Amino acid sequence: MYNAKVMEIFKNPQHMGEVENYNAIGTVGNETCGDIMQITMRIEDGIIKDAKFKTFGCAAAVVSSSTATGMIIGKTVEEALQLTNKQVIEELGELPPQKIHCSVLAEDAIRAAIADYESRQGK
Ligand code: FES
């Protein structure tokens, strides 16, 4: 079962939707469960000014993406690249073992969005 913090975030997720005028977008999926996660960001001067997510997936995916987007807003691109699913799980307290892959989606979506941003910058 999910702990109280996870349930609370699931009932009231933050940073849901799409950032207006985003300049970074990453979409990833998990082939096994079929869930899809998309993260958009507005990055200015190397700082993530805003980040939002859309998730077609389970409760753990929604909660992980809500938490992960909250953790990277205000951070530099380099700092956001350091974020791991382990840190997201630590922030949540715990996730059931069979739900760990859901938090990996959030980490992957952030990396995909930053890769998109860097390619737009010609890097
Ligand atoms: Fe696949 Fe949660 S079951 S993301």
Side-chain angles (χ1 to χ4, degrees):
M1 280 308 296
Y2 295 121
N3 69 20
K5 185 169 185 182
V6 171
M7 286 309 295
E8 191 50 46
I9 298 171
F10 180 59
K11 280 190 243 160
N12 187 24
Q14 306 290 303
H15 317 296
M16 208 152 64
E18 188 175 286
V19 174
E20 223 175 282
N21 295 324
Y22 65 80
N23 56 3
I25 182 167
T27 307
V28 294
N30 181 292
E31 280 175 23
T32 312
C33 66
D35 291 350
I36 297 170
M37 187 183 296
Q38 181 178 79
I39 288 186
T40 50
M41 301 176 191
R42 180 81 211 158
I43 302 172
E44 287 170 23
D45 300 326
I47 308 282
I48 297 168
K49 296 287 186 185
D50 200 4
K52 289 189 176 168
F53 75 93
K54 285 184 187 168
T55 294
F56 177 77
C58 70
V62 170
V63 170
S64 297
S65 39
S66 174
T67 303
T69 45
M71 289 170 82
I72 58 166
I73 293 172
K75 296 269 165 61
T76 65
V77 168
E78 290 72 25
E79 286 167 339
L81 283 172
Q82 306 293 320
L83 184 80
T84 64
N85 75 305
K86 222 172 142 223
Q87 290 169 300
V88 173
I89 294 169
E90 273 166 22
E91 183 70 21
L92 292 170
E94 61 178 344
L95 275 180
Q98 66 273 29
K99 291 289 173 182
I100 302 296
H101 77 272
C102 318
S103 61
V104 175
L105 269 188
E107 178 188 322
D108 288 348
I110 289 169
R111 286 167 199 256
I114 291 174
D116 172 59
Y117 170 75
E118 288 181 339
S119 79
R120 288 173 195 235
Q121 305 299 304
K123 288 187 192 163

